[in-house]
Amino acid sequence: MSHIPPLDPRVAAKKGFRESEERLKRFWTEATVTPEDGGYVVLLDGRAPKTPAHARIRLPTEATARMVADEWAAQGEFLDPGTMPATRLAATAIDRVSQTREPVADEIAAYVGSDLLCYLAEHPTNLVAEQDRHWSPWRDWAARELGVTVTATRGIVHCAQPPESLTRVRDLALELDDFALTGLAMATPLLGSAILGLAVQRRALAGAVAFDISRLDEAFQERQWGIDADNAERTAARRAEADLLDRWFRALG
């Protein structure tokens, strides 16, 4: 999504979480969490790390703050931002999504117009059956639990969805706080589906399971032709991202 960066950051921190090409040597011994102004902040030896916009990393729940603190605590001699996705989520929510909530919600809603769950294969028969088995229940769930009705089609020809469904998803997104909205904005393109993203956000579906549901076509091709090592590595990284987002939503409560 254009308004937020990916979870895999190429960011370094220096007494904070600032963008830099410089490798930062660990300067703290202990990462802790403490209540502050109705939320929780992460402290590194009593000092609060900052976002790229120099804001304190204040999170809404103790569990989310613990996720961030654990990332800082787990660092080795040098900081590795690529191992700090929860910190990245927090900084993105604070610096960027808080300032662009409506455009972010618009982008999430736009996915309903071409949601993965609405485009089923025409053949082969076993893939068609697999998609029906795994995708139909979540379209039904969206209609029943979210009030979002979508129409499925076979093939790749565009199938217009009811405008009220896009509006409903936008409204649901805007009901979320900045931290949950950030998670949804990252889950939706990862899964190719606003419906699956909302299912994970609402804890109706585990992140890793949603990811597997989202890649039925790819998994089918792998069973037919084998798995390329590079693709396997990318898939593992994306599944780990889905799992991280699942833990993020659960930590938000």
Side-chain angles (χ1 to χ4, degrees):
M1 289 194 172
S2 60
H3 288 89
I4 58 175
L7 270 182
D8 180 13
R10 294 296 179 265
V11 178
K14 189 168 185 178
K15 297 186 179 179
F17 197 70
R18 299 201 296 262
E19 291 184 1
S20 171
E21 295 298 323
E22 178 184 354
R23 291 188 74 198
L24 175 69
K25 191 169 184 177
R26 181 169 179 152
F27 58 84
W28 65 95
T29 301
E30 185 180 25
T32 59
V33 169
T34 189
E36 181 182 282
D37 296 338
Y40 295 85
V41 294
V42 175
L43 298 178
L44 307 178
D45 294 343
R47 300 175 62 183
K50 300 295 181 64
T51 69
H54 311 294
R56 290 169 76 83
I57 301 180
R58 182 181 298 111
L59 292 116
T61 66
E62 184 176 4
T64 49
R66 293 282 178 198
M67 287 180 68
V68 173
D70 287 348
E71 291 180 346
W72 289 88
Q75 296 302 299
E77 181 181 2
F78 291 96
L79 191 75
D80 180 2
T83 63
M84 305 177 74
T87 303
R88 186 65 163 177
L89 274 167
T92 300
I94 294 165
D95 286 352
R96 302 184 68 170
V97 171
S98 65
Q99 306 302 312
T100 58
R101 288 180 54 83
E102 292 198 0
V104 168
D106 288 340
E107 291 181 2
I108 293 168
Y111 269 81
V112 181
S114 57
D115 200 283
L116 169 78
L117 301 186
C118 296
Y119 291 86
L120 289 81
E122 297 176 281
H123 56 79
T125 303
N126 50 349
L127 176 59
V128 171
E130 190 173 6
Q131 289 177 337
D132 280 334
R133 184 168 65 254
H134 290 286
W135 290 0
S136 296
W138 292 104
R139 293 195 304 271
D140 294 342
W141 175 85
R144 182 178 66 253
E145 301 294 334
L146 305 179
V148 175
T149 301
V150 292
T151 301
T153 187
R154 298 204 179 274
I156 60 174
V157 176
H158 178 68
C159 177
Q161 302 299 337
E164 57 268 25
S165 293
L166 278 69
T167 299
R168 175 61 177 158
V169 169
R170 183 182 188 275
D171 291 343
L172 290 170
L174 289 173
E175 289 175 3
L176 303 176
D177 68 20
D178 295 338
F179 297 90
L181 180 58
T182 300
L184 180 59
M186 292 184 173
T188 297
L190 175 67
L191 302 171
S193 168
I195 292 172
L196 290 179
L198 283 161
V200 177
Q201 180 266 316
R202 290 174 169 243
R203 299 180 295 285
L205 186 60
V209 175
F211 178 72
D212 288 339
I213 290 173
S214 77
R215 63 182 302 276
L216 291 181
D217 292 17
E218 185 178 344
F220 178 83
Q221 294 300 324
E222 289 173 350
R223 292 194 297 272
Q224 302 302 306
W225 308 108
I227 302 174
D228 175 82
D230 289 340
N231 285 337
E233 184 177 349
R234 284 192 292 271
T235 297
R238 290 165 58 216
R239 182 176 284 107
E241 194 171 314
D243 181 67
L244 179 280
L245 290 165
D246 180 71
R247 291 188 286 113
W248 179 257
F249 288 131
R250 292 178 188 279
L252 285 169

